[in-house]
């Protein structure tokens, strides 16, 4: 099997979100959590894969939170190879609102998943403390705490990622 080059440089503190840029995905919460963790993890990055009607508002939030260098909007990525490269270059998958299919994709690439209670699909995929964490719905502080649990413990992050792939 041919190994493709990394799409992004190594960074153990990279979060990824995949999905349409719509209000009910609550990407604003991921941005707030990223900003809250910036002091502890100066190299923190958030990759947002997707496009949609909320992109302009999300870019404004990035500026307000002074996250310009820490957030990358990758746009819509439909090619499974490119999507896999983004997942392989990231440490943890976060879904802050409704959704579900992207959880499967992240788990297939051995990523721990942090999510909230959404449309129900997450309940069959994410076991709290086994292959990811649930955070309090709508609570960016709770989300930041869950991300911090993984970033501060690389062994736990790796173990949860392996558990995702097993599930």
């Amino acid at each position: 099997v041919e190994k493709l080059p990394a799409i992004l440089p190594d960074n153990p503190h990279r979060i990824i979100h995949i999905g349409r840029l719509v209000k009910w995905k609550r990407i604003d919460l991921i941005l707030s959590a990223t900003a809250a963790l910036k002091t502890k993890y100066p190299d923190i990055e958030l990759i947002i894969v997707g496009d949609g009607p909320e992109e302009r508002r999300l870019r404004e939030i990035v500026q307000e939170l002074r996250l310009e260098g820490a957030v990358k909007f990758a746009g819509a990525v439909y090619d499974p190879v490119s999507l896999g490269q983004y997942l392989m270059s990231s440490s943890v998958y976060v879904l802050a609102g409704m959704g579900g299919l992207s959880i499967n994709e992240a788990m297939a690439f051995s990523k721990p998943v942090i999510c909230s209670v959404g449309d129900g699909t997450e309940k069959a995929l994410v076991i709290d403390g086994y292959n990811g964490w649930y955070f309090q719905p709508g609570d960016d502080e709770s989300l930041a705490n869950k991300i911090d649990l993984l970033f501060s413990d690389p062994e736990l992050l790796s173990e949860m990622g392996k558990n995702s792939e097993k599930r």
Side-chain angles (χ1 to χ4, degrees), residues 20-28 53-54 95-99:
R20 289 264 307 141
L21 308 186
V22 291
K23 285 185 180 183
W24 57 86
K25 296 285 185 176
R26 297 304 316 264
I27 300 163
D28 58 319
E54 286 292 295
L95 179 65
M98 298 293 236

Side-chain angles (χ1 to χ4, degrees), residues 71-126:
V71 177
K72 175 181 175 37
F73 287 86
V77 177
Y78 297 108
D79 171 49
V81 173
S82 298
L83 189 59
Q85 286 178 290
Y86 278 111
L87 282 161
M88 290 303 294
S89 295
S90 302
S91 297
V92 61
Y93 175 77
V94 175
L95 179 65
M98 298 293 236
L101 184 58
S102 54
I103 292 175
N104 298 67
E105 293 167 331
M107 289 172 61
F109 283 89
S110 302
K111 300 301 157 197
V113 176
I114 299 176
C115 61
S116 184
V117 176
D119 59 10
T121 55
E122 73 285 346
K123 292 176 185 169
L125 299 170
V126 180

Side-chain angles (χ1 to χ4, degrees), residues 129-143:
Y130 175 74
N131 67 321
W133 301 106
Y134 287 94
F135 70 95
Q136 292 298 314
D139 186 340
D140 57 346
E141 188 177 326
S142 173
L143 174 55

